[in-house]
Amino acid sequence: MLMTKERRPAIRTMRGLAISVLQEAGAIGECGAHGWMQDRADPHARERAIDTARQDPPAGTSADEAVAEIRNVLDSIGDTCPECPQDDLG
């Protein structure tokens, strides 16, 4: 059977591409109430996103640049929503 790879939608920025790849891999998701991106802390999903960026970087971009942007986005996203109430630990 002939299998075709589904193309990702056109993303205009490297950050947008990184967010898209991270969402596809399941490494990040949105807060259901507020829409903030949240790191799911899944090392396997992170590795899948990095592998995707390395194997299929956008045109005009090196694999190293794509992987670096994936890591930059991961470093900028927390694992909690800043608008959701947090349990008081103190």
Side-chain angles (χ1 to χ4, degrees):
M1 173 187 281
L2 177 63
M3 300 291 289
T4 60
K5 182 177 178 183
E6 185 176 322
R7 304 261 323 151
R8 291 192 302 259
I11 305 291
R12 296 187 187 271
T13 66
M14 284 295 292
R15 182 172 177 80
L17 170 84
I19 289 170
S20 176
V21 169
L22 287 162
Q23 284 179 315
E24 275 183 28
I28 63 174
E30 289 184 12
C31 166
H34 304 105
W36 288 90
M37 287 290 120
Q38 294 176 288
D39 186 344
R40 291 193 173 149
D42 180 345
H44 300 290
R46 287 178 177 206
E47 195 57 40
R48 282 191 304 272
I50 290 170
D51 287 343
T52 298
R54 186 176 293 124
Q55 293 170 7
D56 190 20
T61 304
S62 73
D64 290 338
E65 290 171 322
V67 169
E69 189 60 28
I70 293 286
R71 291 192 170 122
N72 287 339
V73 169
L74 281 171
D75 289 344
S76 72
I77 295 176
D79 61 353
T80 58
C81 171
E83 293 185 47
C84 286
Q86 302 297 312
D87 292 335
D88 193 22
L89 300 175

